[in-house]
Amino acid sequence: MAKFVIAGRADCPYYAKTELLADYLQKNLPDFRIHKITQRPEVWEDWLKDVCEKNKWSHKNSPIIWRELLDRGGKGLLLGGYNEFLEHAQLYYDVTSSMTTELMMVIAQENLGAHIQKEQEEEGLKTCINPLQVWITSASAPACYNLIPILTSGEVFGMHTEISITLFDNKQAEEYLKSLVMETQDLASPVLRSVSICTKVEEAFCQAHIIVVLDDSTDKEVFTLEDCLRSRVPLCRLYGYLIEKNAHESVRVIVGGKTFVNLKTVLLMRYAPRIAHNIIAVALGVEGEAKAILARKLKTTPSYIKDVIIWGNISGNNYVDLRKTRVYRYESAIWGPLHYSRPLLNLIFDSEWIKREFVATLKNLTATGRQFGGILAAHSIATTLKYWYHGSPPGEIVSLGILSEGQFGIPKGIVFSMPVKFENGTWVVLTDLKDTEISEQIMTRMTSDLIQEKLVALGDKIHFQPYQSEHKDLVPHEEKNPVMSDAAYFLNQIPQTTFEKPQSLEFLNGFEGKTVES
């Protein structure tokens, strides 16, 4: 039995005539089999050249037909083109074709349309089969260790979405990453296609669909605040360049960490402008800490507390807004169904506790950096990703760090945490919320540090001057909620110990390959 392979340009009229004649022969002859190959016009010549070089044939036109002996195997035998196939059919089978030129042209165009449609269907299938490419930077950080089990549980992207995780860090972390890969494989997760490591900077973020940016490596060394801010720029510039160059066009970037989260996010947007709309900062860690403090006060469960809004600098000078916060399933004289809730500020009668202890506890957590510890950071990132892909709970307010477009009177061009909801694969800023106005003094306090951080980091301002309020801040429900800024966090560390210098430049040098400047 012989099989004839007929290959041609999708819009070639001679291929169309050859194809119909071959279809007739296959239908009427029991030992005659055909296999068809079409290529787009723009790639046909290159494809034909490769086939001929591989088989040591000489052929330059469309179509090309060769014969494969199924019972013997071995190299295919070149028959030739359109004319040679017609002669073969007439000589061996006494069959020829009487197709008109006009009909040949019509069928050729139909073939081209069918070929394009087939390619589109195959691409659609690939998106279903190919795993979601998840890259985690600074993968030796504790947050990564806690994030991996959540991502591989199927809870974030769903049990029907396979993922491939790539752990990205410098060369010095390679041995640790290898052990982390083995531990991840031991999970035997049904949604984990593969897990690998990358220490070569030029290969970073290759076809990434999701990039999780964690805190970069640090080393103990005294450092000025201004130099600390400027040290964020080289790494963000490098990441931005690599994301633009290597990542998938629809990549989503999510930024977490202990300090300067807003600044890192806005710098990534600056250096990766093509996907700036898909870069966000995680604010759920601060939100979770606030809920936990309130739950301990009310002797309830943190998950029963909803709609705590975080405004401003996620890892610094922010305002925890309790005016919309509600408590569900609270045990008291008033009880209702599961969907029944009560305003939190109506349940805490000790206003002095809110004014003093609540604010002081949050301030202390910010000062120590505990609010972005490994477990909480991982859970916050995973929850934000889950909402991004599947939507946030209906009616629930979520805090998210995004680029301001002037909403709520926030200056444009800074990354600012504000209330949103997730739906249809994106987020919507909840600008229609009532009674969420923020006083000019509070807004100035929050935006001043963020604007200065950006200016100092980019070299447009020499010295950072922390905002000093003329009046003492009061309480959250009166729009007065002082929380330590990134600058204050930095300065707070110096009397106690040397500051942890971000190793941006040494971090880059730790990779194999050259640092890329844009």
Side-chain angles (χ1 to χ4, degrees):
M1 180 184 292
K3 179 177 75 172
F4 289 85
V5 180
I6 303 170
R9 224 176 50 239
D11 64 344
C12 174
Y14 295 103
Y15 171 83
K17 188 170 185 177
T18 304
E19 176 192 26
L20 287 185
L21 177 57
D23 284 340
Y24 175 83
L25 293 172
Q26 180 173 251
K27 182 178 179 181
N28 292 277
L29 298 173
D31 294 332
F32 190 95
R33 295 290 179 267
I34 61 172
H35 174 67
K36 305 174 191 177
I37 301 173
T38 56
Q39 297 291 337
R40 282 180 179 262
E42 60 269 23
V43 301
W44 164 253
E45 290 187 4
D46 291 337
W47 184 88
L48 179 62
K49 182 180 178 181
D50 290 341
V51 170
C52 290
E53 287 180 355
K54 180 180 178 181
N55 293 280
K56 296 181 172 54
W57 293 337
S58 177
H59 191 85
K60 296 183 178 179
N61 301 316
S62 173
I64 179 174
I65 301 101
W66 68 88
R67 184 180 180 186
E68 295 181 351
L69 302 177
L70 300 182
D71 56 343
R72 286 193 246 168
K75 179 182 174 183
L77 301 175
L78 177 65
L79 180 62
Y82 162 74
N83 291 325
E84 288 78 10
F85 185 74
L86 287 186
E87 292 176 3
H88 180 86
Q90 189 167 14
L91 179 63
Y92 284 91
Y93 309 114
D94 196 24
V95 176
T96 189
S97 173
S98 58
M99 182 186 295
T100 63
T101 302
E102 183 179 359
L103 183 58
M104 288 167 59
M105 298 299 294
V106 170
I107 295 177
Q109 291 305 309
E110 291 178 354
N111 282 344
L112 179 59
H115 178 82
I116 294 174
Q117 183 178 356
K118 182 181 178 183
E119 281 188 341
Q120 292 172 344
E121 290 174 353
E122 289 175 350
E123 286 299 316
L125 288 174
K126 285 181 181 179
T127 60
C128 297
I129 297 172
N130 290 342
L132 203 63
Q133 299 292 335
V134 180
W135 283 69
I136 305 176
T137 73
S138 304
S140 57
C144 177
Y145 186 86
N146 293 279
L147 179 61
I148 290 174
I150 306 176
L151 295 179
T152 56
S153 69
E155 180 184 344
V156 177
F157 306 110
M159 292 302 298
H160 299 291
T161 302
E162 290 189 335
I163 63 173
S164 286
I165 298 176
T166 304
L167 307 176
F168 181 48
D169 212 320
N170 56 37
K171 187 70 175 176
Q172 287 73 21
E174 188 170 11
E175 288 304 314
Y176 170 77
L177 295 184
K178 288 179 179 179
S179 65
L180 186 56
V181 165
M182 295 180 64
E183 192 170 350
T184 303
Q185 291 170 338
D186 291 344
L187 294 172
S189 168
V191 301
L192 181 64
R193 175 77 66 86
S194 65
V195 57
S196 58
I197 65 175
C198 176
T199 59
K200 295 183 178 179
V201 65
E202 64 272 14
E203 297 176 2
F205 312 134
C206 181
Q207 290 302 304
H209 297 107
I210 298 166
I211 299 173
V212 179
V213 179
L214 302 177
D215 276 323
D216 50 291
S217 303
T218 58
D219 189 20
K220 297 285 184 179
E221 184 174 328
V222 176
F223 221 44
T224 67
L225 172 59
E226 288 77 11
D227 286 342
C228 179
L229 290 167
R230 296 185 186 106
S231 71
R232 261 57 184 178
V233 176
L235 189 60
C236 290
R237 183 192 295 122
L238 174 66
Y239 280 0
Y241 171 82
L242 294 170
I243 291 169
E244 291 265 311
K245 178 185 176 184
N246 297 339
H248 192 274
E249 60 182 7
S250 62
V251 64
R252 303 181 184 192
V253 181
I254 184 165
V255 183
K258 290 185 179 180
T259 57
F260 304 109
V261 175
N262 297 54
L263 175 62
K264 289 187 291 186
T265 306
V266 79
L267 289 175
L268 285 174
M269 291 176 176
R270 177 185 180 91
Y271 295 116
R274 181 175 59 84
I275 54 97
H277 62 285
N278 263 0
I279 304 177
I280 61 175
V282 179
L284 292 185
V286 183
E287 192 176 307
E289 284 288 355
K291 289 178 179 178
I293 297 170
L294 294 166
R296 287 192 288 269
K297 176 66 176 177
L298 292 172
K299 294 180 173 57
T300 187
T301 303
S303 63
Y304 294 168
I305 299 175
K306 309 289 185 183
D307 303 340
V308 174
I309 302 175
I310 308 301
W311 298 91
N313 193 343
I314 294 165
S315 55
N317 212 341
N318 53 43
Y319 164 41
V320 181
D321 191 347
L322 305 179
R323 290 173 294 178
K324 292 294 180 182
T325 306
R326 304 190 68 84
V327 182
Y328 291 78
R329 303 174 67 177
Y330 184 64
E331 295 184 10
S332 65
I334 302 175
W335 189 260
L338 293 179
H339 63 269
Y340 175 75
S341 65
R342 299 173 65 186
L344 178 133
L345 294 177
N346 290 350
L347 297 175
I348 298 181
F349 303 105
D350 185 0
S351 60
E352 285 299 313
W353 180 87
I354 297 179
K355 293 178 184 179
R356 308 303 175 199
E357 190 173 338
F358 175 70
V359 171
T361 304
L362 283 176
K363 181 177 180 180
N364 181 60
L365 289 172
T366 304
T368 58
R370 280 181 53 206
Q371 79 272 31
F372 281 101
I375 295 176
L376 181 58
H379 183 267
S380 302
I381 291 168
T383 303
T384 304
L385 278 172
K386 179 181 178 180
Y387 289 170
W388 202 349
Y389 272 83
H390 302 293
S392 53
E396 191 169 320
I397 299 173
V398 178
S399 301
L400 185 70
I402 57 175
L403 188 67
S404 169
E405 298 178 353
Q407 306 97 324
F408 305 105
I410 302 166
K412 295 182 179 180
I414 60 174
V415 170
F416 201 91
S417 179
M418 61 184 77
V420 306
K421 66 177 179 180
F422 284 91
E423 61 181 11
N424 301 322
T426 187
W427 61 87
V428 178
V429 180
L430 299 177
T431 54
D432 57 347
L433 286 178
K434 296 180 180 179
D435 302 321
T436 56
E437 295 79 10
I438 301 175
S439 69
E440 182 179 351
Q441 180 184 339
I442 295 295
M443 184 63 72
T444 302
R445 175 171 59 80
M446 290 190 292
T447 58
S448 174
D449 285 355
L450 290 173
I451 293 171
Q452 285 195 80
E453 284 178 5
K454 181 179 177 182
L455 292 176
V456 172
L458 296 174
D460 296 327
K461 187 177 176 68
I462 298 176
H463 299 294
F464 183 95
Q465 297 177 335
Y467 175 76
Q468 299 293 332
S469 175
E470 296 180 1
H471 305 284
K472 186 178 179 181
D473 288 331
L474 299 177
V475 299
H477 62 283
E478 294 177 3
E479 298 187 0
K480 309 293 182 182
N481 182 10
V483 177
M484 185 171 287
S485 67
D486 276 326
Y489 169 76
F490 175 89
L491 297 172
N492 191 55
Q493 307 306 304
I494 294 177
Q496 303 169 17
T497 181
T498 53
F499 180 66
E500 291 188 358
K501 166 193 168 184
Q503 287 295 95
S504 296
L505 297 177
E506 293 169 16
F507 180 76
L508 304 187
N509 295 335
F511 287 105
E512 295 180 357
K514 296 181 179 179
T515 300
V516 182
E517 298 287 340
S518 63

